[in-house]
Amino acid sequence: IIPGLGRVPKNENRKLLYWLETTDDNGRPELFFGPVKSRRAGTESPTSAYIRDLESRISRLESGRLIYVAATRARKTLHLFGHAGKKKGGEILPDGNSLLAQLWPALGSHWAELSDADLESETVGEERGSYIAPPTQFRIPTGWISPNPPENAAGAHHAESEFNQAIKFEWAGETARAVGTVVHRFLQHLVETGGMKPESLAALELPARTLLLREGVLEKELHQALDRVRSALKNALEDDRGRWVLSSRHDDSRCEVPITAIIDGQLRHMIIDRTFIDEEGTRWIIDYKTGTHEGGDIGGFLDEEQDRYGAQMEGYAKAFSKIENREIRTALYYPLIKGGWRELDFGE
């Protein structure tokens, strides 16, 4: 359910100084500055006007991306709520700065079908539903008391935070962390878009560079970070196991799944990188790892990784076992390592 699509975002105040980070034709960074218009100036600085217009277009594109992401998360049904008004010529249109305006080419026909009587009424038929009367306010009854949290859940947030912190950051520098974040995002993209061929990965170069810079990777480390992202995606698409993991044809195929459960008396909030049900009805829970290993003893390295992440993966399995009755298997997948796959067995 996506409400309020007809609303207009708040106008941004004028800035004292406008600046724009960009690159020249050779990829070297450049910085443009534009001052705010003075009281005595008749017109705004052309540089400031250009930067402000560009920021407005970037904001519009980002809004389009957000509404796309929100709409495509729907599994079965999608409900869009918004409002539009009649213009002077009688045409029904939303505000040009609203999210509804970006969806209008697809949704405008629903408003066009409404008669004047429909627009003036309090409600509209559900199958044509484009207008809904203001909602009734519901209040919590007087004397309502929040139920007690589950037993032994007190302090769980602190315990979980320490657990994740010990795993995720004890080994990784900021660049490694950024590479992991970007690789996770692209692997999710490959699942949700049905994948691509290794030779098509060049199309992801610019987005990868942008995302790495946004994650704080320094220019001097950018080339190496891009190489790692490129290698991880290429390896995953060229590997039979990787293509199987990233296939969107599995049942209940999902990525970045949030799940909360009480595990061993502790309230755990978890994000599962990849999960699906295979053709035999087995639930797979897979965690992507972007660590690397130099040397030949891949088995020994994976043994150490299993020790490190075993409790985490067991927690994922226990969480899913509380909501479905089927065989559950878990694995760690390392796209930067040839043969980087380790299935974990927790016994009975």
Side-chain angles (χ1 to χ4, degrees), residues 194-231:
M196 62 172 58
K197 296 180 180 180
E199 56 267 25
S200 303
L201 287 176
L204 300 180
E205 287 282 325
L206 183 57
R209 175 188 174 89
T210 301
L211 290 172
L212 287 169
L213 289 172
R214 189 176 296 174
E215 290 293 324
V217 174
L218 302 176
E219 284 283 350
K220 64 181 181 180
E221 298 177 350
L222 184 59
H223 180 73
Q224 183 179 5
L226 273 171
D227 279 344
R228 292 186 65 179
V229 172
R230 189 185 303 114
S231 296

PDB file of all heavy atoms in Angstrom, residues 194-231:
ATOM      1  N   GLY A 194      16.238 -11.184 -13.136  1.00  0.00           N
ATOM      2  CA  GLY A 194      16.391 -12.396 -13.934  1.00  0.00           C
ATOM      3  C   GLY A 194      17.801 -12.641 -14.415  1.00  0.00           C
ATOM      4  O   GLY A 194      18.019 -13.476 -15.297  1.00  0.00           O
ATOM      5  N   GLY A 195      18.782 -11.921 -13.864  1.00  0.00           N
ATOM      6  CA  GLY A 195      20.181 -12.159 -14.209  1.00  0.00           C
ATOM      7  C   GLY A 195      20.593 -11.516 -15.507  1.00  0.00           C
ATOM      8  O   GLY A 195      19.826 -10.875 -16.209  1.00  0.00           O
ATOM      9  N   MET A 196      21.864 -11.676 -15.848  1.00  0.00           N
ATOM     10  CA  MET A 196      22.417 -11.184 -17.106  1.00  0.00           C
ATOM     11  C   MET A 196      23.637 -12.022 -17.458  1.00  0.00           C
ATOM     12  O   MET A 196      24.127 -12.805 -16.646  1.00  0.00           O
ATOM     13  CB  MET A 196      22.794  -9.706 -17.008  1.00  0.00           C
ATOM     14  CG  MET A 196      23.870  -9.395 -15.974  1.00  0.00           C
ATOM     15  SD  MET A 196      24.450  -7.687 -16.055  1.00  0.00           S
ATOM     16  CE  MET A 196      22.942  -6.774 -15.817  1.00  0.00           C
ATOM     17  N   LYS A 197      24.148 -11.854 -18.667  1.00  0.00           N
ATOM     18  CA  LYS A 197      25.317 -12.594 -19.104  1.00  0.00           C
ATOM     19  C   LYS A 197      26.581 -11.884 -18.631  1.00  0.00           C
ATOM     20  O   LYS A 197      26.595 -10.654 -18.497  1.00  0.00           O
ATOM     21  CB  LYS A 197      25.312 -12.724 -20.624  1.00  0.00           C
ATOM     22  CG  LYS A 197      24.140 -13.542 -21.157  1.00  0.00           C
ATOM     23  CD  LYS A 197      24.187 -13.640 -22.678  1.00  0.00           C
ATOM     24  CE  LYS A 197      23.020 -14.463 -23.192  1.00  0.00           C
ATOM     25  NZ  LYS A 197      23.031 -14.569 -24.674  1.00  0.00           N
ATOM     26  N   PRO A 198      27.679 -12.635 -18.409  1.00  0.00           N
ATOM     27  CA  PRO A 198      28.918 -12.001 -17.934  1.00  0.00           C
ATOM     28  C   PRO A 198      29.392 -10.877 -18.834  1.00  0.00           C
ATOM     29  O   PRO A 198      29.924  -9.869 -18.361  1.00  0.00           O
ATOM     30  CB  PRO A 198      29.910 -13.173 -17.916  1.00  0.00           C
ATOM     31  CG  PRO A 198      29.066 -14.382 -17.734  1.00  0.00           C
ATOM     32  CD  PRO A 198      27.796 -14.103 -18.473  1.00  0.00           C
ATOM     33  N   GLU A 199      29.191 -11.015 -20.156  1.00  0.00           N
ATOM     34  CA  GLU A 199      29.664  -9.987 -21.075  1.00  0.00           C
ATOM     35  C   GLU A 199      28.856  -8.697 -20.976  1.00  0.00           C
ATOM     36  O   GLU A 199      29.248  -7.661 -21.539  1.00  0.00           O
ATOM     37  CB  GLU A 199      29.645 -10.499 -22.513  1.00  0.00           C
ATOM     38  CG  GLU A 199      28.294 -11.015 -22.979  1.00  0.00           C
ATOM     39  CD  GLU A 199      28.139 -12.513 -22.763  1.00  0.00           C
ATOM     40  OE1 GLU A 199      28.813 -13.058 -21.866  1.00  0.00           O
ATOM     41  OE2 GLU A 199      27.349 -13.119 -23.502  1.00  0.00           O
ATOM     42  N   SER A 200      27.727  -8.750 -20.282  1.00  0.00           N
ATOM     43  CA  SER A 200      26.891  -7.548 -20.138  1.00  0.00           C
ATOM     44  C   SER A 200      27.218  -6.761 -18.878  1.00  0.00           C
ATOM     45  O   SER A 200      26.593  -5.728 -18.612  1.00  0.00           O
ATOM     46  CB  SER A 200      25.410  -7.944 -20.112  1.00  0.00           C
ATOM     47  OG  SER A 200      25.058  -8.657 -21.279  1.00  0.00           O
ATOM     48  N   LEU A 201      28.196  -7.228 -18.088  1.00  0.00           N
ATOM     49  CA  LEU A 201      28.500  -6.581 -16.820  1.00  0.00           C
ATOM     50  C   LEU A 201      29.075  -5.179 -16.989  1.00  0.00           C
ATOM     51  O   LEU A 201      29.082  -4.395 -16.042  1.00  0.00           O
ATOM     52  CB  LEU A 201      29.495  -7.436 -16.021  1.00  0.00           C
ATOM     53  CG  LEU A 201      28.923  -8.716 -15.413  1.00  0.00           C
ATOM     54  CD1 LEU A 201      30.021  -9.517 -14.736  1.00  0.00           C
ATOM     55  CD2 LEU A 201      27.820  -8.391 -14.416  1.00  0.00           C
ATOM     56  N   ALA A 202      29.564  -4.856 -18.195  1.00  0.00           N
ATOM     57  CA  ALA A 202      30.109  -3.517 -18.421  1.00  0.00           C
ATOM     58  C   ALA A 202      29.073  -2.440 -18.129  1.00  0.00           C
ATOM     59  O   ALA A 202      29.423  -1.320 -17.734  1.00  0.00           O
ATOM     60  CB  ALA A 202      30.622  -3.391 -19.852  1.00  0.00           C
ATOM     61  N   ALA A 203      27.809  -2.773 -18.291  1.00  0.00           N
ATOM     62  CA  ALA A 203      26.741  -1.804 -18.041  1.00  0.00           C
ATOM     63  C   ALA A 203      26.650  -1.420 -16.566  1.00  0.00           C
ATOM     64  O   ALA A 203      26.047  -0.398 -16.223  1.00  0.00           O
ATOM     65  CB  ALA A 203      25.399  -2.368 -18.514  1.00  0.00           C
ATOM     66  N   LEU A 204      27.241  -2.242 -15.686  1.00  0.00           N
ATOM     67  CA  LEU A 204      27.180  -1.966 -14.249  1.00  0.00           C
ATOM     68  C   LEU A 204      28.389  -1.200 -13.744  1.00  0.00           C
ATOM     69  O   LEU A 204      28.477  -0.884 -12.557  1.00  0.00           O
ATOM     70  CB  LEU A 204      27.054  -3.283 -13.474  1.00  0.00           C
ATOM     71  CG  LEU A 204      25.828  -4.147 -13.783  1.00  0.00           C
ATOM     72  CD1 LEU A 204      25.841  -5.406 -12.931  1.00  0.00           C
ATOM     73  CD2 LEU A 204      24.537  -3.376 -13.552  1.00  0.00           C
ATOM     74  N   GLU A 205      29.342  -0.891 -14.633  1.00  0.00           N
ATOM     75  CA  GLU A 205      30.576  -0.224 -14.213  1.00  0.00           C
ATOM     76  C   GLU A 205      30.288   1.131 -13.576  1.00  0.00           C
ATOM     77  O   GLU A 205      30.761   1.430 -12.481  1.00  0.00           O
ATOM     78  CB  GLU A 205      31.506  -0.052 -15.413  1.00  0.00           C
ATOM     79  CG  GLU A 205      32.156  -1.343 -15.894  1.00  0.00           C
ATOM     80  CD  GLU A 205      33.312  -1.766 -15.005  1.00  0.00           C
ATOM     81  OE1 GLU A 205      34.032  -0.887 -14.500  1.00  0.00           O
ATOM     82  OE2 GLU A 205      33.490  -2.977 -14.810  1.00  0.00           O
ATOM     83  N   LEU A 206      29.543   1.971 -14.286  1.00  0.00           N
ATOM     84  CA  LEU A 206      29.272   3.316 -13.774  1.00  0.00           C
ATOM     85  C   LEU A 206      28.443   3.284 -12.493  1.00  0.00           C
ATOM     86  O   LEU A 206      28.787   3.974 -11.517  1.00  0.00           O
ATOM     87  CB  LEU A 206      28.584   4.163 -14.843  1.00  0.00           C
ATOM     88  CG  LEU A 206      28.298   5.622 -14.457  1.00  0.00           C
ATOM     89  CD1 LEU A 206      29.586   6.324 -14.059  1.00  0.00           C
ATOM     90  CD2 LEU A 206      27.620   6.361 -15.608  1.00  0.00           C
ATOM     91  N   PRO A 207      27.348   2.474 -12.429  1.00  0.00           N
ATOM     92  CA  PRO A 207      26.618   2.391 -11.153  1.00  0.00           C
ATOM     93  C   PRO A 207      27.489   1.879 -10.007  1.00  0.00           C
ATOM     94  O   PRO A 207      27.381   2.359  -8.878  1.00  0.00           O
ATOM     95  CB  PRO A 207      25.475   1.416 -11.460  1.00  0.00           C
ATOM     96  CG  PRO A 207      25.281   1.504 -12.928  1.00  0.00           C
ATOM     97  CD  PRO A 207      26.642   1.750 -13.499  1.00  0.00           C
ATOM     98  N   ALA A 208      28.381   0.917 -10.296  1.00  0.00           N
ATOM     99  CA  ALA A 208      29.251   0.386  -9.245  1.00  0.00           C
ATOM    100  C   ALA A 208      30.187   1.471  -8.729  1.00  0.00           C
ATOM    101  O   ALA A 208      30.406   1.612  -7.519  1.00  0.00           O
ATOM    102  CB  ALA A 208      30.048  -0.797  -9.778  1.00  0.00           C
ATOM    103  N   ARG A 209      30.755   2.240  -9.646  1.00  0.00           N
ATOM    104  CA  ARG A 209      31.651   3.329  -9.248  1.00  0.00           C
ATOM    105  C   ARG A 209      30.907   4.338  -8.370  1.00  0.00           C
ATOM    106  O   ARG A 209      31.398   4.765  -7.324  1.00  0.00           O
ATOM    107  CB  ARG A 209      32.204   4.016 -10.499  1.00  0.00           C
ATOM    108  CG  ARG A 209      33.054   5.246 -10.220  1.00  0.00           C
ATOM    109  CD  ARG A 209      33.394   5.974 -11.515  1.00  0.00           C
ATOM    110  NE  ARG A 209      34.076   7.215 -11.246  1.00  0.00           N
ATOM    111  CZ  ARG A 209      35.386   7.343 -11.132  1.00  0.00           C
ATOM    112  NH1 ARG A 209      36.157   6.286 -11.274  1.00  0.00           N
ATOM    113  NH2 ARG A 209      35.934   8.511 -10.877  1.00  0.00           N
ATOM    114  N   THR A 210      29.688   4.701  -8.812  1.00  0.00           N
ATOM    115  CA  THR A 210      28.894   5.678  -8.065  1.00  0.00           C
ATOM    116  C   THR A 210      28.572   5.171  -6.666  1.00  0.00           C
ATOM    117  O   THR A 210      28.689   5.894  -5.677  1.00  0.00           O
ATOM    118  CB  THR A 210      27.598   5.984  -8.823  1.00  0.00           C
ATOM    119  OG1 THR A 210      27.925   6.489 -10.122  1.00  0.00           O
ATOM    120  CG2 THR A 210      26.762   7.015  -8.082  1.00  0.00           C
ATOM    121  N   LEU A 211      28.159   3.904  -6.575  1.00  0.00           N
ATOM    122  CA  LEU A 211      27.803   3.341  -5.271  1.00  0.00           C
ATOM    123  C   LEU A 211      29.010   3.247  -4.346  1.00  0.00           C
ATOM    124  O   LEU A 211      28.894   3.502  -3.144  1.00  0.00           O
ATOM    125  CB  LEU A 211      27.171   1.961  -5.463  1.00  0.00           C
ATOM    126  CG  LEU A 211      25.775   1.940  -6.091  1.00  0.00           C
ATOM    127  CD1 LEU A 211      25.353   0.508  -6.408  1.00  0.00           C
ATOM    128  CD2 LEU A 211      24.761   2.594  -5.171  1.00  0.00           C
ATOM    129  N   LEU A 212      30.166   2.880  -4.889  1.00  0.00           N
ATOM    130  CA  LEU A 212      31.373   2.797  -4.056  1.00  0.00           C
ATOM    131  C   LEU A 212      31.757   4.167  -3.516  1.00  0.00           C
ATOM    132  O   LEU A 212      32.123   4.305  -2.342  1.00  0.00           O
ATOM    133  CB  LEU A 212      32.521   2.192  -4.868  1.00  0.00           C
ATOM    134  CG  LEU A 212      32.406   0.685  -5.147  1.00  0.00           C
ATOM    135  CD1 LEU A 212      33.452   0.260  -6.171  1.00  0.00           C
ATOM    136  CD2 LEU A 212      32.577  -0.128  -3.867  1.00  0.00           C
ATOM    137  N   LEU A 213      31.690   5.181  -4.368  1.00  0.00           N
ATOM    138  CA  LEU A 213      31.998   6.535  -3.909  1.00  0.00           C
ATOM    139  C   LEU A 213      30.996   6.976  -2.849  1.00  0.00           C
ATOM    140  O   LEU A 213      31.361   7.623  -1.863  1.00  0.00           O
ATOM    141  CB  LEU A 213      31.983   7.506  -5.091  1.00  0.00           C
ATOM    142  CG  LEU A 213      33.144   7.366  -6.088  1.00  0.00           C
ATOM    143  CD1 LEU A 213      32.909   8.257  -7.301  1.00  0.00           C
ATOM    144  CD2 LEU A 213      34.475   7.722  -5.420  1.00  0.00           C
ATOM    145  N   ARG A 214      29.737   6.598  -3.048  1.00  0.00           N
ATOM    146  CA  ARG A 214      28.708   6.965  -2.074  1.00  0.00           C
ATOM    147  C   ARG A 214      28.938   6.276  -0.733  1.00  0.00           C
ATOM    148  O   ARG A 214      28.576   6.802   0.320  1.00  0.00           O
ATOM    149  CB  ARG A 214      27.332   6.601  -2.635  1.00  0.00           C
ATOM    150  CG  ARG A 214      26.172   7.118  -1.806  1.00  0.00           C
ATOM    151  CD  ARG A 214      24.855   6.806  -2.484  1.00  0.00           C
ATOM    152  NE  ARG A 214      24.726   7.496  -3.754  1.00  0.00           N
ATOM    153  CZ  ARG A 214      23.726   7.310  -4.597  1.00  0.00           C
ATOM    154  NH1 ARG A 214      22.777   6.431  -4.297  1.00  0.00           N
ATOM    155  NH2 ARG A 214      23.661   7.977  -5.727  1.00  0.00           N
ATOM    156  N   GLU A 215      29.546   5.086  -0.773  1.00  0.00           N
ATOM    157  CA  GLU A 215      29.853   4.356   0.456  1.00  0.00           C
ATOM    158  C   GLU A 215      31.125   4.856   1.133  1.00  0.00           C
ATOM    159  O   GLU A 215      31.520   4.345   2.173  1.00  0.00           O
ATOM    160  CB  GLU A 215      29.994   2.859   0.158  1.00  0.00           C
ATOM    161  CG  GLU A 215      28.689   2.168  -0.194  1.00  0.00           C
ATOM    162  CD  GLU A 215      27.722   2.117   0.965  1.00  0.00           C
ATOM    163  OE1 GLU A 215      28.185   1.964   2.115  1.00  0.00           O
ATOM    164  OE2 GLU A 215      26.511   2.251   0.731  1.00  0.00           O
ATOM    165  N   GLY A 216      31.790   5.833   0.505  1.00  0.00           N
ATOM    166  CA  GLY A 216      32.953   6.444   1.133  1.00  0.00           C
ATOM    167  C   GLY A 216      34.299   5.920   0.685  1.00  0.00           C
ATOM    168  O   GLY A 216      35.314   6.202   1.331  1.00  0.00           O
ATOM    169  N   VAL A 217      34.353   5.159  -0.410  1.00  0.00           N
ATOM    170  CA  VAL A 217      35.641   4.646  -0.899  1.00  0.00           C
ATOM    171  C   VAL A 217      36.468   5.802  -1.443  1.00  0.00           C
ATOM    172  O   VAL A 217      35.975   6.630  -2.222  1.00  0.00           O
ATOM    173  CB  VAL A 217      35.420   3.583  -2.000  1.00  0.00           C
ATOM    174  CG1 VAL A 217      36.745   3.155  -2.606  1.00  0.00           C
ATOM    175  CG2 VAL A 217      34.687   2.385  -1.428  1.00  0.00           C
ATOM    176  N   LEU A 218      37.733   5.868  -1.055  1.00  0.00           N
ATOM    177  CA  LEU A 218      38.628   6.926  -1.519  1.00  0.00           C
ATOM    178  C   LEU A 218      39.017   6.698  -2.973  1.00  0.00           C
ATOM    179  O   LEU A 218      39.058   5.562  -3.448  1.00  0.00           O
ATOM    180  CB  LEU A 218      39.878   6.979  -0.643  1.00  0.00           C
ATOM    181  CG  LEU A 218      39.642   7.221   0.867  1.00  0.00           C
ATOM    182  CD1 LEU A 218      40.964   7.140   1.611  1.00  0.00           C
ATOM    183  CD2 LEU A 218      38.960   8.548   1.103  1.00  0.00           C
ATOM    184  N   GLU A 219      39.336   7.797  -3.673  1.00  0.00           N
ATOM    185  CA  GLU A 219      39.714   7.700  -5.086  1.00  0.00           C
ATOM    186  C   GLU A 219      40.904   6.768  -5.284  1.00  0.00           C
ATOM    187  O   GLU A 219      40.944   5.994  -6.236  1.00  0.00           O
ATOM    188  CB  GLU A 219      40.040   9.096  -5.630  1.00  0.00           C
ATOM    189  CG  GLU A 219      38.834   9.965  -5.909  1.00  0.00           C
ATOM    190  CD  GLU A 219      38.133   9.578  -7.200  1.00  0.00           C
ATOM    191  OE1 GLU A 219      38.688   8.762  -7.958  1.00  0.00           O
ATOM    192  OE2 GLU A 219      37.034  10.099  -7.454  1.00  0.00           O
ATOM    193  N   LYS A 220      41.872   6.817  -4.373  1.00  0.00           N
ATOM    194  CA  LYS A 220      43.076   6.001  -4.531  1.00  0.00           C
ATOM    195  C   LYS A 220      42.786   4.509  -4.382  1.00  0.00           C
ATOM    196  O   LYS A 220      43.589   3.673  -4.815  1.00  0.00           O
ATOM    197  CB  LYS A 220      44.141   6.434  -3.527  1.00  0.00           C
ATOM    198  CG  LYS A 220      43.754   6.221  -2.065  1.00  0.00           C
ATOM    199  CD  LYS A 220      44.858   6.691  -1.133  1.00  0.00           C
ATOM    200  CE  LYS A 220      44.480   6.468   0.327  1.00  0.00           C
ATOM    201  NZ  LYS A 220      45.560   6.915   1.251  1.00  0.00           N
ATOM    202  N   GLU A 221      41.661   4.160  -3.740  1.00  0.00           N
ATOM    203  CA  GLU A 221      41.300   2.761  -3.554  1.00  0.00           C
ATOM    204  C   GLU A 221      40.164   2.324  -4.474  1.00  0.00           C
ATOM    205  O   GLU A 221      39.749   1.163  -4.444  1.00  0.00           O
ATOM    206  CB  GLU A 221      40.888   2.517  -2.096  1.00  0.00           C
ATOM    207  CG  GLU A 221      42.017   2.796  -1.098  1.00  0.00           C
ATOM    208  CD  GLU A 221      41.569   2.629   0.338  1.00  0.00           C
ATOM    209  OE1 GLU A 221      40.350   2.481   0.569  1.00  0.00           O
ATOM    210  OE2 GLU A 221      42.431   2.654   1.230  1.00  0.00           O
ATOM    211  N   LEU A 222      39.665   3.254  -5.296  1.00  0.00           N
ATOM    212  CA  LEU A 222      38.480   2.986  -6.108  1.00  0.00           C
ATOM    213  C   LEU A 222      38.736   1.919  -7.170  1.00  0.00           C
ATOM    214  O   LEU A 222      37.897   1.041  -7.399  1.00  0.00           O
ATOM    215  CB  LEU A 222      37.988   4.276  -6.765  1.00  0.00           C
ATOM    216  CG  LEU A 222      36.698   4.179  -7.575  1.00  0.00           C
ATOM    217  CD1 LEU A 222      35.552   3.687  -6.706  1.00  0.00           C
ATOM    218  CD2 LEU A 222      36.351   5.543  -8.167  1.00  0.00           C
ATOM    219  N   HIS A 223      39.894   1.974  -7.821  1.00  0.00           N
ATOM    220  CA  HIS A 223      40.186   1.020  -8.896  1.00  0.00           C
ATOM    221  C   HIS A 223      40.186  -0.420  -8.368  1.00  0.00           C
ATOM    222  O   HIS A 223      39.583  -1.316  -8.968  1.00  0.00           O
ATOM    223  CB  HIS A 223      41.538   1.352  -9.539  1.00  0.00           C
ATOM    224  CG  HIS A 223      41.916   0.417 -10.647  1.00  0.00           C
ATOM    225  ND1 HIS A 223      41.306   0.441 -11.887  1.00  0.00           N
ATOM    226  CD2 HIS A 223      42.834  -0.596 -10.702  1.00  0.00           C
ATOM    227  CE1 HIS A 223      41.832  -0.505 -12.652  1.00  0.00           C
ATOM    228  NE2 HIS A 223      42.754  -1.138 -11.955  1.00  0.00           N
ATOM    229  N   GLN A 224      40.855  -0.627  -7.243  1.00  0.00           N
ATOM    230  CA  GLN A 224      40.912  -1.972  -6.670  1.00  0.00           C
ATOM    231  C   GLN A 224      39.531  -2.428  -6.200  1.00  0.00           C
ATOM    232  O   GLN A 224      39.151  -3.594  -6.374  1.00  0.00           O
ATOM    233  CB  GLN A 224      41.883  -2.000  -5.493  1.00  0.00           C
ATOM    234  CG  GLN A 224      42.061  -3.388  -4.872  1.00  0.00           C
ATOM    235  CD  GLN A 224      43.050  -3.389  -3.718  1.00  0.00           C
ATOM    236  OE1 GLN A 224      43.535  -2.337  -3.308  1.00  0.00           O
ATOM    237  NE2 GLN A 224      43.348  -4.556  -3.191  1.00  0.00           N
ATOM    238  N   ALA A 225      38.765  -1.500  -5.617  1.00  0.00           N
ATOM    239  CA  ALA A 225      37.421  -1.850  -5.164  1.00  0.00           C
ATOM    240  C   ALA A 225      36.524  -2.229  -6.348  1.00  0.00           C
ATOM    241  O   ALA A 225      35.763  -3.196  -6.283  1.00  0.00           O
ATOM    242  CB  ALA A 225      36.808  -0.679  -4.399  1.00  0.00           C
ATOM    243  N   LEU A 226      36.638  -1.485  -7.450  1.00  0.00           N
ATOM    244  CA  LEU A 226      35.864  -1.813  -8.649  1.00  0.00           C
ATOM    245  C   LEU A 226      36.242  -3.187  -9.187  1.00  0.00           C
ATOM    246  O   LEU A 226      35.379  -3.952  -9.638  1.00  0.00           O
ATOM    247  CB  LEU A 226      36.092  -0.746  -9.724  1.00  0.00           C
ATOM    248  CG  LEU A 226      35.192   0.482  -9.679  1.00  0.00           C
ATOM    249  CD1 LEU A 226      35.685   1.531 -10.666  1.00  0.00           C
ATOM    250  CD2 LEU A 226      33.751   0.121  -9.972  1.00  0.00           C
ATOM    251  N   ASP A 227      37.525  -3.505  -9.156  1.00  0.00           N
ATOM    252  CA  ASP A 227      37.982  -4.821  -9.610  1.00  0.00           C
ATOM    253  C   ASP A 227      37.336  -5.934  -8.794  1.00  0.00           C
ATOM    254  O   ASP A 227      36.941  -6.974  -9.333  1.00  0.00           O
ATOM    255  CB  ASP A 227      39.509  -4.918  -9.512  1.00  0.00           C
ATOM    256  CG  ASP A 227      40.205  -4.262 -10.693  1.00  0.00           C
ATOM    257  OD1 ASP A 227      39.531  -4.008 -11.707  1.00  0.00           O
ATOM    258  OD2 ASP A 227      41.420  -4.012 -10.604  1.00  0.00           O
ATOM    259  N   ARG A 228      37.232  -5.730  -7.483  1.00  0.00           N
ATOM    260  CA  ARG A 228      36.647  -6.758  -6.627  1.00  0.00           C
ATOM    261  C   ARG A 228      35.157  -6.922  -6.893  1.00  0.00           C
ATOM    262  O   ARG A 228      34.650  -8.051  -6.943  1.00  0.00           O
ATOM    263  CB  ARG A 228      36.894  -6.416  -5.159  1.00  0.00           C
ATOM    264  CG  ARG A 228      38.361  -6.515  -4.748  1.00  0.00           C
ATOM    265  CD  ARG A 228      38.550  -6.314  -3.272  1.00  0.00           C
ATOM    266  NE  ARG A 228      37.927  -7.385  -2.501  1.00  0.00           N
ATOM    267  CZ  ARG A 228      37.966  -7.457  -1.175  1.00  0.00           C
ATOM    268  NH1 ARG A 228      38.575  -6.495  -0.474  1.00  0.00           N
ATOM    269  NH2 ARG A 228      37.390  -8.448  -0.536  1.00  0.00           N
ATOM    270  N   VAL A 229      34.466  -5.807  -7.080  1.00  0.00           N
ATOM    271  CA  VAL A 229      33.033  -5.896  -7.408  1.00  0.00           C
ATOM    272  C   VAL A 229      32.847  -6.616  -8.734  1.00  0.00           C
ATOM    273  O   VAL A 229      32.013  -7.515  -8.879  1.00  0.00           O
ATOM    274  CB  VAL A 229      32.398  -4.489  -7.465  1.00  0.00           C
ATOM    275  CG1 VAL A 229      30.964  -4.567  -7.989  1.00  0.00           C
ATOM    276  CG2 VAL A 229      32.410  -3.840  -6.086  1.00  0.00           C
ATOM    277  N   ARG A 230      33.656  -6.230  -9.723  1.00  0.00           N
ATOM    278  CA  ARG A 230      33.567  -6.827 -11.061  1.00  0.00           C
ATOM    279  C   ARG A 230      33.851  -8.326 -10.997  1.00  0.00           C
ATOM    280  O   ARG A 230      33.143  -9.134 -11.603  1.00  0.00           O
ATOM    281  CB  ARG A 230      34.562  -6.131 -11.984  1.00  0.00           C
ATOM    282  CG  ARG A 230      34.428  -6.506 -13.454  1.00  0.00           C
ATOM    283  CD  ARG A 230      35.530  -5.871 -14.283  1.00  0.00           C
ATOM    284  NE  ARG A 230      35.550  -4.433 -14.148  1.00  0.00           N
ATOM    285  CZ  ARG A 230      36.544  -3.747 -13.589  1.00  0.00           C
ATOM    286  NH1 ARG A 230      37.587  -4.382 -13.069  1.00  0.00           N
ATOM    287  NH2 ARG A 230      36.504  -2.436 -13.534  1.00  0.00           N
ATOM    288  N   SER A 231      34.879  -8.708 -10.255  1.00  0.00           N
ATOM    289  CA  SER A 231      35.251 -10.126 -10.152  1.00  0.00           C
ATOM    290  C   SER A 231      34.159 -10.940  -9.468  1.00  0.00           C
ATOM    291  O   SER A 231      33.844 -12.064  -9.883  1.00  0.00           O
ATOM    292  CB  SER A 231      36.567 -10.265  -9.379  1.00  0.00           C
ATOM    293  OG  SER A 231      37.631  -9.656 -10.075  1.00  0.00           O
TER     294      SER A 231
END
